[in-house]
Amino acid sequence: MKFINKIFLILITIFVVTSFLSMSFASDTKYVWSPLKSTTPTSTSVTNVDNNNSLNLESGAAILIEQSTGQILYSHNVHEKLRPASVTKIMSILLIMEQINNGNLSLDEQIPCSETAASMGGSQIWLDTRETLSVNDMLKAICVVSANDCVVAMAERIAGSESAFVNMMNEKARQLGMTDTTFKNCHGIDEDGHVTSACDISLMSKELLNKYPEITKYTTIWMDSLRDGKSQLVNTNKLIRNYKGATGLKTGSTSQALYNLSASATRDDLSLIAVILRAPSTKVRFDEAQKLLDYGFNNFLYKQFAKKDDIAKNINVLKGINTSVDIAFENNAGILLKKGNENGIDQIINLPDSVNAPITKGQKLGEVTYSSNGDTILTIDLVSTKDIEKINLFAMCKKIYSMWFSFGRF
C-alpha cells in the first residue's frame, strides 16, 4: 500500500511541476468581454419625481423614497427645516444599534436610570432611579411608546452624557449627508435650533432599516408589556395595526412641531419610506403617510436581478495555484421600475474568459450593466470570491505537501 502511495505521489508531483512550467511560460491572453445573459424584457427605470404636491397634501413637508436605493418618488418642501419632535429618536436608535453591532452593548445589559433621565417628562414609562432595565426593554419602550426617559438613559450609557451623545448624533448626520439637520437633544422635545427636514429624516430612516433590519422586531410591535406585565405598551404608530406591510418606523408630535411621522412598509419586495412633517392633526399625518405609501405601491415595483454574493460565472485562472475562480456580485443588483412600462432593459455581464494570478478576494474582475434604450441605468461590479496565489516553487511545494496529507502519510 505504501508503495502505491509513493507511486501516486510521484505522478501528482510530475503533474504539478508540468503544470507549473506550462503556466510559467504561457503567454498572457487579452480579456475577451462577452455577455453572460441575453436581453431580459422588464420595465424602464424611474427617472421622474413628483414634486408638485399632486396629492394635495396638507402637511408642511413630505417625501416618499424607495428604501434600498433612496430614490425619491414624491417630494414636497423636502428641505424645509422643521421641528422633528420624537422622530428625532430614529437617530438615537441608529446609534444604539451601532453600539450593539460593534459589541459595545448587549441586549441583556441592564441600564440604570439617572435623575436626569427620570425627570424628562413627555412620553415615558416612568423609569425609577432605583431600577434598571435591559437594553432590549429600553429599545422596546423607545420604539413602541417613544419613551424619553429610556432614550436619555441609553444616551448616558453610550456616551457618558446626553450632550456627548448629541455630538455623536450630529456627527452621524454629517456622515449621512443630512445637511438640513441640527440636533440639540436625543428625544425631540422642542428646543430652539433643534431642526431637520423631510429629506434628512428619510436618509436616517433608510440607514436604520437597511443596515439594521432587525429593528423591525421592535417597530412592528403593536401591543406588549414591560416589568413582568405591569407596564402596558401600545404603539404610537397606528399604521402598524391597519396598513398592510407596515414595518415602522417612528411618530412624533409637540405643540410647536405639530404631527410628524416616518412610516415604512414593504410589499412584494418593494420597500418604501414616507415622511410627513408638520401635519395639522394626528389623523392627517396617518392619512397622508398612507396616501404616499399607496401612491408608491400603486405606481412602482422593484425588480431584483441578483443579490450580493450571488455567483455570476466561473472563469479560468492562468498561472495560479487554482485553475478557476467564482465571480460574484459585489452588491445587490436591482432597479426601481414604473408600472406599465414592461420592456426595455438589457442586462449584460462583462467578464474575461480568463485572468492571470495573483487574485485577491473582492478584486474587481468585471461588471454587469443594465441599460434602457442604450443608456446605462445601473452598473454593479463583479468580484473574485477568494484569494488565488500566483504559482511558484514555494506555492507548488505547499500544494504537493497538502496533497500528501490528503492521500495519507507513508
Side-chain angles (χ1 to χ4, degrees):
M1 186 66 181
K2 289 184 178 179
F3 177 75
I4 294 174
N5 284 342
K6 287 181 179 179
I7 295 298
F8 192 70
L9 180 59
I10 291 170
L11 292 173
I12 290 174
T13 303
I14 293 171
F15 171 76
V16 173
V17 171
T18 302
S19 299
F20 168 65
L21 291 174
S22 63
M23 289 176 182
S24 298
F25 295 103
S27 60
D28 291 344
T29 59
K30 293 183 178 180
Y31 284 1
V32 180
W33 299 90
S34 57
L36 179 66
K37 292 184 179 180
S38 59
T39 299
T40 303
T42 53
S43 304
T44 53
S45 63
V46 177
T47 55
N48 296 322
V49 177
D50 190 329
N51 54 13
N52 298 316
N53 197 22
S54 62
L55 296 179
N56 298 315
L57 303 180
E58 296 180 52
S59 302
I63 194 171
L64 176 70
I65 68 167
E66 192 278 317
Q67 181 181 304
S68 65
T69 63
Q71 188 162 353
I72 299 173
L73 306 180
Y74 190 99
S75 64
H76 172 54
N77 294 339
V78 294
H79 290 292
E80 185 175 355
K81 295 182 179 181
L82 299 168
R83 297 174 186 264
S86 282
V87 177
T88 297
K89 294 186 177 78
I90 293 172
M91 180 60 82
S92 300
I93 295 167
L94 174 59
L95 294 183
I96 293 170
M97 296 303 294
E98 282 188 351
Q99 293 296 306
I100 294 172
N101 183 65
N102 293 338
N104 298 326
L105 271 179
S106 72
L107 291 173
D108 295 329
E109 181 178 341
Q110 296 294 312
I111 305 298
C113 173
S114 67
E115 292 283 356
T116 301
S119 65
M120 283 312 303
S123 301
Q124 59 184 311
I125 62 165
W126 308 103
L127 279 179
D128 191 289
T129 55
R130 296 165 295 181
E131 74 173 322
T132 61
L133 215 60
S134 69
V135 171
N136 180 71
D137 286 348
M138 288 280 189
L139 271 173
K140 189 184 298 183
I142 295 167
C143 292
V144 178
V145 295
S146 197
N148 293 330
D149 43 6
C150 290
V151 77
V152 171
M154 289 301 305
E156 292 172 338
R157 160 59 182 86
I158 291 170
S161 68
E162 184 188 357
S163 61
F165 187 80
V166 171
N167 289 337
M168 293 174 62
M169 295 171 68
N170 284 313
E171 175 58 29
K172 190 66 178 180
R174 284 190 289 272
Q175 292 173 12
L176 295 178
M178 297 169 58
T179 57
D180 305 320
T181 297
T182 301
F183 292 116
K184 296 288 188 177
N185 59 59
C186 66
H187 39 72
I189 293 175
D190 286 325
E191 187 171 342
D192 288 344
H194 183 86
V195 294
T196 187
S197 66
C199 180
D200 283 3
I201 289 172
S202 74
L203 290 175
M204 65 178 178
S205 299
K206 176 174 75 75
E207 179 76 2
L208 176 60
L209 289 166
N210 287 346
K211 198 165 184 180
Y212 305 106
E214 62 271 25
I215 195 62
T216 58
K217 168 188 172 184
Y218 301 96
T219 58
T220 56
I221 293 171
W222 172 240
M223 296 182 69
D224 208 327
S225 63
L226 299 173
R227 298 170 173 139
D228 297 323
K230 296 176 183 177
S231 298
Q232 299 300 311
L233 307 177
V234 179
N235 204 315
T236 57
N237 182 2
K238 307 309 177 186
L239 296 184
I240 294 301
R241 182 175 62 169
N242 57 33
Y243 192 80
K244 179 184 175 183
T247 57
L249 188 60
K250 191 71 198 70
T251 61
S253 63
T254 67
S255 59
Q256 295 184 58
L258 300 185
Y259 297 91
N260 304 327
L261 173 65
S262 179
S264 57
T266 299
R267 294 181 186 174
D268 299 323
D269 296 325
L270 176 61
S271 296
L272 301 175
I273 298 171
V275 177
I276 293 292
L277 287 179
R278 203 164 178 79
S281 69
T282 186
K283 182 179 185 304
V284 169
R285 78 170 158 186
F286 290 123
D287 286 348
E288 296 197 342
Q290 182 170 328
K291 187 181 290 188
L292 282 176
L293 293 171
D294 286 345
Y295 170 80
F297 289 125
N298 290 337
N299 289 280
F300 304 96
L301 60 88
Y302 185 79
K303 176 69 175 178
Q304 185 158 326
F305 297 101
K307 293 183 179 179
K308 180 180 175 0
D309 298 327
D310 279 354
I311 303 301
K313 194 178 182 183
N314 180 277
I315 64 173
N316 296 325
V317 177
L318 302 178
K319 303 181 183 180
I321 197 165
N322 298 96
T323 58
S324 66
V325 64
D326 285 335
I327 308 301
F329 285 79
E330 185 176 38
N331 294 302
N332 292 335
I335 300 173
L336 187 67
L337 309 169
K338 187 80 180 280
K339 288 184 178 180
N341 300 325
E342 295 303 323
N343 49 53
I345 291 183
D346 296 330
Q347 177 181 266
I348 302 283
I349 291 185
N350 296 311
L351 276 172
D353 289 331
S354 60
V355 63
N356 290 331
I359 301 168
T360 58
K361 183 177 180 180
Q363 179 180 336
K364 178 182 176 181
L365 297 176
E367 61 186 21
V368 57
T369 60
Y370 299 90
S371 60
S372 176
N373 298 320
D375 296 325
T376 299
I377 54 179
L378 178 67
T379 300
I380 302 292
D381 287 344
L382 299 174
V383 298
S384 171
T385 57
K386 63 181 179 182
D387 296 324
I388 297 182
E389 296 179 55
K390 185 174 183 178
I391 197 159
N392 51 41
L393 185 60
F394 177 71
M396 181 178 64
C397 290
K398 280 203 308 181
K399 189 161 188 173
I400 294 172
Y401 187 72
S402 175
M403 289 178 177
W404 182 80
F405 272 98
S406 297
F407 293 102
R409 302 179 186 178
F410 54 87

